[in-house]
Amino acid sequence: MSLDRQNLTSFQSLRRIILSVLSVFILIKLILSLIGTIDRPQIQGKFELYQTNLVLVASAWQPTSDLEGLGALQTSIVGTDILESATKQYQTARKSDEQAIENLKLSLAELAVSPPDGTSNKSVKLQTDLINKTISSAKVEIDKIDLQIGILQAASKQPERAIETWQQIIANSQQATSKNAATSLIDIWKSSDINQNTSPQIESKTIANFDGWFRDRVLQKLATDLGDDTKLAKLEATEQVSAKNALIKLALITIPRVIIGLSGVGLIVFFVVRWLILLLQHRGDPTVSTTILKNIDVRWETPWDWEIIWQVFTVGFFFVGQFLLPILFSTFVNPATLTTQGQGIYVFTSYVLMSSLGIGVLYLSIKSYLPLASDWFQFNWKSNWLLWGVGGYLVATPLVIVVSLINDKIWHGQGGSNPLLQIMLESKDSIALLLFFLTAAVAAPLFEEFLFRGFLLPSLTRYLPTWGAICISGLIFGVAHLSLSEILPLTTLGILLGTVYVRTRNLLAPMLLHSLWNSSTLVSLYILGSGN
């Protein structure tokens, strides 16, 4: 008997040592990953530029007599002072890229002066090459933005400012392509050396360097200067088709977003007013606050201690996701070399495998405590989970938008984003898009809600009040996405997911909310990407 107890004690000591070592490595990895996102631009900046481009295209639409009623819709969606707003948006994007370059240069200097302890010369060189490559890409992006700002200035009847902007590119850019494009634009707007012989070459350069509204402006200016009415009419007809399609896409993004946001605000006002009325009706009753949020003061019966929580998240989530699978996959494939479809397969496969291993670690960790009380990991198809899932999504939308606006003031477009969003925005492969959607809208809500809300939140109620468990699990949920700029918005979302779960005691409700949130983001990215 004493031998069994001694063996058990030895096993527990060994487990704690292993978990402690893993925790140190994981903590270092998390800190380095989060620090690494400081210099990375947010997807929001790219998202806003794509939307700006779509607005510019849609602004060119001229409704026919039978569609005049849609003119008001166009104005409400596209807005006024379109060129001025677009110019400001591009100037903001330029500042963000400049800041990113400055941060990268600082990182490069620090790496040269004091490389991290234990880092080999080869590793330092690889990091240096990667930073230099990123800086070069950012400079190319700034050149492209300056070319587009010049076209916006020219369209705003400021040709002198436009020519000055393009001349700055010729003087400062290190890219021959950017200089040639700037030279062509100057020739077009000065109407110098443009004739039937030189126009085909300039036209091919325009098509290669620009798209959408910017391409149309340049080609129409070229056709106008050449007096080619046939080509001009063809360009204008094509532009009208593109503009109408762009307006439809903007409507698909904007109108649902407005309806959802207003509905969410309405629900928030309803709950606040109801709570205030109950306070007035039952003054001095301490249970009034729990009437709105049922179960907020009810804890789960948690049979395990903090070590099981530690074990599940250290091994089942962070070690598997940040160490084991990346090392395993890196021996067979380099994700950076994959095609878009290959990336879709890689992301979906790795996430499903991580989820399976994570659930396996969770099961083995709590196996000895089974069976659990009836309110653990509950899936009740007959309850009002649909109502709470949809309602939670409506409430989450305005709250996360407000937090995101505050967040933007902190990070100024930096802090990184989920790389999947960038791929989704730019991908044109239908199979890859389907796999990304299945990962984000199906696999992620199932696994993350099972782990964060189903296991972590109830487990924390052993040591914290329920509202405290909601907040801490929400914060861990935000940090686990490994982007500094996403911590505040995702923590807010995590708190709402936890609140919905506590209220319903049904995992289907937060899973639905989570799926709706990810799905709406991906659909918006797909529409924007298809419109550019």
Side-chain angles (χ1 to χ4, degrees):
M1 189 73 176
S2 59
L3 184 60
D4 291 340
R5 183 176 297 175
Q6 185 178 359
N7 289 336
L8 178 61
T9 302
S10 300
F11 172 76
Q12 289 175 338
S13 300
L14 179 62
R15 183 184 67 173
R16 287 170 184 166
I17 292 171
I18 293 172
L19 288 176
S20 297
V21 172
L22 286 178
S23 296
V24 170
F25 280 108
I26 289 167
L27 186 60
I28 293 172
K29 172 71 173 175
L30 285 177
I31 292 172
L32 291 176
S33 296
L34 288 171
I35 291 174
T37 64
I38 292 176
D39 300 330
R40 295 178 195 164
Q42 296 178 30
I43 185 63
Q44 185 65 24
K46 184 78 73 173
F47 182 95
E48 289 170 354
L49 279 187
Y50 270 62
Q51 185 159 324
T52 297
N53 292 343
L54 210 55
V55 166
L56 286 168
V57 175
S59 68
W61 186 57
Q62 298 173 353
T64 54
S65 56
D66 58 324
L67 295 174
E68 286 182 355
L70 293 178
L73 175 65
Q74 181 190 27
T75 303
S76 63
I77 292 176
V78 172
T80 57
D81 299 325
I82 300 157
L83 295 178
E84 183 181 350
S85 299
T87 302
K88 288 180 179 178
Q89 190 65 58
Y90 270 89
Q91 288 170 340
T92 300
R94 191 188 195 284
K95 288 179 181 177
S96 177
D97 284 336
E98 285 181 327
Q99 184 61 53
I101 289 174
E102 290 303 313
N103 292 337
L104 287 166
K105 286 180 177 179
L106 288 174
S107 299
L108 201 60
E110 290 174 4
L111 192 62
V113 174
S114 56
D117 294 337
T119 306
S120 64
N121 292 334
K122 182 179 179 181
S123 178
V124 171
K125 185 179 184 304
L126 287 172
Q127 291 181 52
T128 302
D129 291 344
L130 179 60
I131 293 173
N132 282 324
K133 185 178 179 181
T134 307
I135 290 173
S136 297
S137 298
K139 287 181 177 179
V140 171
E141 188 65 26
I142 287 176
D143 285 348
K144 184 178 179 181
I145 288 172
D146 284 341
L147 289 168
Q148 292 168 317
I149 288 175
I151 296 172
L152 286 165
Q153 290 168 338
S156 302
K157 299 180 181 180
Q158 302 174 55
E160 295 82 7
R161 287 190 64 190
I163 290 170
E164 184 180 336
T165 299
W166 296 324
Q167 286 173 337
Q168 289 294 321
I169 296 173
I170 295 171
N172 300 324
S173 177
Q174 299 174 351
Q175 301 294 324
T177 304
S178 301
K179 291 185 176 184
N180 290 336
T183 302
S184 296
L185 290 172
I186 291 173
D187 289 341
I188 292 171
W189 258 268
K190 280 186 173 181
S191 300
S192 60
D193 299 326
I194 302 294
N195 54 54
Q196 294 292 345
N197 294 324
T198 58
S199 65
Q201 184 179 4
I202 295 176
E203 187 174 329
S204 64
K205 286 182 180 180
T206 300
I207 294 171
N209 287 290
F210 304 103
D211 51 27
W213 181 88
F214 297 96
R215 180 193 60 216
D216 293 342
R217 296 285 71 71
V218 178
L219 292 178
Q220 286 182 23
K221 177 70 168 62
L222 185 61
T224 300
D225 290 345
L226 290 171
D228 194 337
D229 294 337
T230 302
K231 179 172 284 187
L232 183 61
K234 186 177 179 181
L235 287 168
E236 288 175 346
T238 303
E239 182 182 49
Q240 287 303 300
V241 174
S242 299
K244 184 179 178 181
N245 290 335
L247 184 61
I248 292 170
K249 288 175 179 178
L250 280 172
L252 290 173
I253 294 171
T254 305
I255 294 175
R257 191 187 298 172
V258 171
I259 293 172
I260 291 167
L262 292 176
S263 301
V265 171
L267 275 175
I268 293 170
V269 171
F270 168 76
F271 280 118
V272 170
V273 170
R274 186 183 171 195
W275 178 67
L276 290 174
I277 290 172
L278 286 172
L279 278 179
L280 291 173
Q281 290 177 344
H282 305 278
R283 293 180 182 177
D285 186 352
T287 64
V288 170
S289 297
T290 62
T291 304
I292 296 289
L293 288 176
K294 182 182 176 184
N295 298 326
I296 195 65
D297 59 345
V298 179
R299 302 187 185 190
W300 277 261
E301 293 182 11
T302 307
W304 48 79
D305 60 13
W306 61 272
E307 286 193 40
I308 295 296
I309 306 172
W310 182 27
Q311 176 175 296
V312 169
F313 268 82
T314 299
V315 180
F317 186 77
F318 290 110
F319 175 72
V320 168
Q322 296 298 313
F323 286 95
L324 181 62
L325 290 182
I327 292 172
L328 180 65
F329 276 103
S330 66
T331 59
F332 299 102
V333 64
N334 180 4
T337 63
L338 295 174
T339 62
T340 305
Q341 193 172 117
Q343 287 179 326
I345 295 170
Y346 173 83
V347 168
F348 180 74
T349 303
S350 60
Y351 196 91
V352 169
L353 188 55
M354 181 187 77
S355 304
S356 302
L357 291 173
I359 296 298
V361 171
L362 171 60
Y363 172 74
L364 292 174
S365 298
I366 66 172
K367 183 180 178 181
S368 60
Y369 300 98
L370 299 177
L372 300 173
S374 60
D375 58 350
W376 277 90
F377 304 110
Q378 195 173 61
F379 291 86
N380 184 359
W381 294 93
K382 295 181 180 180
S383 70
N384 56 355
W385 63 276
L386 270 171
L387 182 66
W388 278 94
V390 174
Y393 169 66
L394 296 177
V395 170
T397 300
L399 289 179
V400 175
I401 287 174
V402 170
V403 172
S404 296
L405 291 173
I406 298 170
N407 198 53
D408 287 342
K409 301 296 182 183
I410 299 172
W411 293 106
H412 303 289
Q414 301 300 306
S417 296
N418 188 333
L420 178 62
L421 301 180
Q422 177 82 16
I423 300 171
M424 189 75 186
L425 184 62
E426 299 175 350
S427 177
K428 299 293 185 291
D429 188 288
S430 56
I431 294 177
L433 290 171
L434 176 61
L435 289 169
F436 292 142
F437 186 84
L438 289 174
T439 303
V442 180
L446 290 175
F447 172 61
E448 292 175 13
E449 293 313 304
F450 195 84
L451 194 65
F452 284 93
R453 257 58 65 179
F455 170 74
L456 178 61
L457 193 161
S459 298
L460 290 175
T461 61
R462 175 166 177 162
Y463 304 98
L464 298 168
T466 306
W467 65 265
I470 291 173
C471 294
I472 295 300
S473 62
L475 177 60
I476 296 173
F477 174 75
V479 172
H481 285 78
L482 300 180
S483 291
L484 281 171
S485 68
E486 293 184 333
I487 290 177
L488 277 179
L490 290 180
T491 296
T492 304
L493 180 62
I495 289 171
L496 286 164
L497 287 164
T499 302
V500 167
Y501 180 51
V502 166
R503 177 61 178 78
T504 60
R505 299 293 168 115
N506 186 353
L507 278 172
L508 292 173
M511 284 178 177
L512 175 61
L513 193 169
H514 197 153
S515 180
L516 288 172
W517 184 267
N518 286 359
S519 297
S520 63
T521 301
L522 295 182
V523 169
S524 295
L525 289 173
Y526 171 74
I527 293 172
L528 278 181
S530 65
N532 282 265

